Amino acid sequence: MELMDWLNHTQSGEFVLTMLVSMIPVIELRGGLPFGVALGLTPWKALIAGIIGNLIPLPFIVVYIREIFQWMRRRMPRLDGVVDRLEKKAHLKGRKVSRYKYLGLTIFVAIPLPGTGGWTGALAAAFMDMSLRKAFPSLVTGVCAAGLIVFFITYGVTAMV
């Protein structure tokens, strides 16, 4: 079976494809959840795939993003502006989170609005020098809460009708 056929025509392929979409910055699970349902997954399976997919890149962001940014500045000076904007965004979001530390990080990630989410929360955690061991539970809780909020707004309302 060809890869694209497997991704589009099997439950496990649709699950993996939903995870991959949920790993994309900005889209994250907010887009991955409806995408998975549109592919044919049940809303609950799409929710699980979206949460898993959204969580996969977060530890790497918290641990390695500063080194990646340094590498980008050295090897790709044309991307300095992009790196500057991302660092500025992380510092701005970090200020909002820092007052309440880990609870603030959880709430920030849980709010399903543009500019919030797992990627931005992990970026803020990295620039606030939070250890992965302490930040990751907050990120997981926030991603799960955001997933449930999106799930119930999208599918809870239609199930009630």
Side-chain angles (χ1 to χ4, degrees):
M1 179 178 272
E2 191 177 316
L3 177 63
M4 290 308 293
D5 284 337
W6 179 76
L7 286 172
N8 289 308
H9 298 102
T10 65
Q11 283 279 303
S12 56
E14 292 168 349
F15 191 90
V16 169
L17 195 53
T18 301
M19 285 175 50
L20 292 172
V21 167
S22 298
M23 291 173 72
I24 299 171
V26 181
I27 295 174
E28 300 188 37
L29 67 82
R30 295 170 192 117
L33 178 58
F35 178 82
V37 171
L39 280 179
L41 292 175
T42 66
W44 286 106
K45 285 182 182 176
L47 174 65
I48 293 166
I51 288 172
I52 292 169
N54 200 176
L55 290 174
I56 289 172
L58 303 187
F60 300 100
I61 295 168
V62 173
V63 174
Y64 297 113
I65 197 65
R66 287 184 160 175
E67 289 83 6
I68 292 169
F69 283 172
Q70 288 174 354
W71 181 86
M72 288 173 68
R73 287 186 188 283
R74 282 193 316 271
R75 305 278 182 186
M76 296 178 264
R78 289 184 177 165
L79 295 180
D80 276 353
V82 172
V83 173
D84 288 341
R85 282 193 302 277
L86 288 171
E87 286 180 345
K88 183 178 179 182
K89 182 178 182 178
H91 287 292
L92 289 173
K93 302 296 181 178
R95 271 194 242 136
K96 292 179 181 178
V97 170
S98 65
R99 182 172 180 194
Y100 299 104
K101 210 68 162 152
Y102 301 105
L103 177 61
L105 183 61
T106 299
I107 293 168
F108 177 79
V109 173
I111 299 170
L113 295 173
T116 66
W119 277 75
T120 308
L123 193 61
F127 281 91
M128 291 187 335
D129 293 320
M130 291 182 174
S131 73
L132 177 62
R133 188 173 58 88
K134 291 185 178 180
F136 196 66
S138 297
L139 294 169
V140 170
T141 305
V143 166
C144 290
L148 288 171
I149 291 168
V150 171
F151 176 87
F152 285 114
I153 288 173
T154 307
Y155 303 106
V157 172
T158 59
M160 292 178 191
V161 177

